[in-house]
Amino acid sequence: MGRRIPKKGDIYRHFKGKKYRILDIAVCTETGEDMVIFETADGSRRVYASFLESFLSVLDTGKYPHADQKYRFELCRDDVAATVADLKRRRSTTSLILDFLDLDDNDQRVRFLQKHQAEIDSRFLTAAAESLEFTENQESVEERYAAFLRFLKTKAKYESVRRR
């Protein structure tokens, strides 16, 4: 075949212009051939399946002379860079979560949140709140951050009074 096998999360452009996100590679129960499982990348979440060989095939230029791609589906390089950036951000969030979970008391947690406010995202807040059994009610990341910070400050104040 000679072309790169699609990987989960890759974005491919069909020769007619629409973009699709790879969900997985499957095996056809009827023929045993590999199939690409993919969904629309525009948010409508329609799911499709295509034989891998067909997915990676050269476009019939006789049938589609005005197409500007060589293949039926081509990897979107700009979207690959975005995926890599997203993975780096997720890795950064994971290390923040782990650092937060290693802290011993709520005063340290408050200082940590204040120090890393610019790096904190929704994923971090969900994990941190669940780790301390804090129920979130706010919608935006900023509201969630403020409510969680108030919660930790209240807990820290209560703990300092108890220690006296």
Side-chain angles (χ1 to χ4, degrees), residues 46-99:
R46 297 222 26 197
V47 176
Y48 300 93
S50 175
F51 288 109
L52 179 63
E53 187 174 318
S54 174
F55 188 89
L56 297 175
S57 67
V58 174
L59 187 61
D60 181 354
T61 54
K63 192 172 179 181
Y64 302 102
H66 301 294
D68 58 354
Q69 288 185 191
K70 180 178 178 181
Y71 299 99
R72 287 187 66 225
F73 288 90
E74 290 186 0
L75 181 63
C76 296
R77 296 289 175 195
D78 53 332
D79 292 321
V80 170
T83 301
V84 168
D86 184 53
L87 287 173
K88 285 180 181 175
R89 184 189 52 75
R90 284 181 168 276
R91 197 169 313 137
S92 172
T93 300
T94 300
S95 64
L96 272 179
I97 292 167
L98 294 174
D99 291 345

Side-chain angles (χ1 to χ4, degrees), residues 28-43:
C28 177
T29 58
E30 303 294 318
T31 65
E33 292 178 75
D34 286 336
M35 297 189 78
V36 180
I37 309 301
F38 54 101
E39 69 179 352
T40 54
D42 64 8

Side-chain angles (χ1 to χ4, degrees), residues 77-132:
R77 296 289 175 195
D78 53 332
D79 292 321
V80 170
T83 301
V84 168
D86 184 53
L87 287 173
K88 285 180 181 175
R89 184 189 52 75
R90 284 181 168 276
R91 197 169 313 137
S92 172
T93 300
T94 300
S95 64
L96 272 179
I97 292 167
L98 294 174
D99 291 345
F100 181 83
L101 294 175
D102 284 340
L103 299 173
D104 296 322
D105 63 46
N106 290 313
D107 283 325
Q108 289 178 345
R109 292 180 184 115
V110 167
R111 286 192 300 276
F112 182 90
L113 285 180
Q114 292 169 333
K115 178 181 177 185
H116 297 284
Q117 182 177 1
E119 304 165 72
I120 290 174
D121 61 8
S122 178
R123 191 168 158 249
F124 173 88
L125 288 170
T126 299
E130 287 178 1
S131 75
L132 296 173

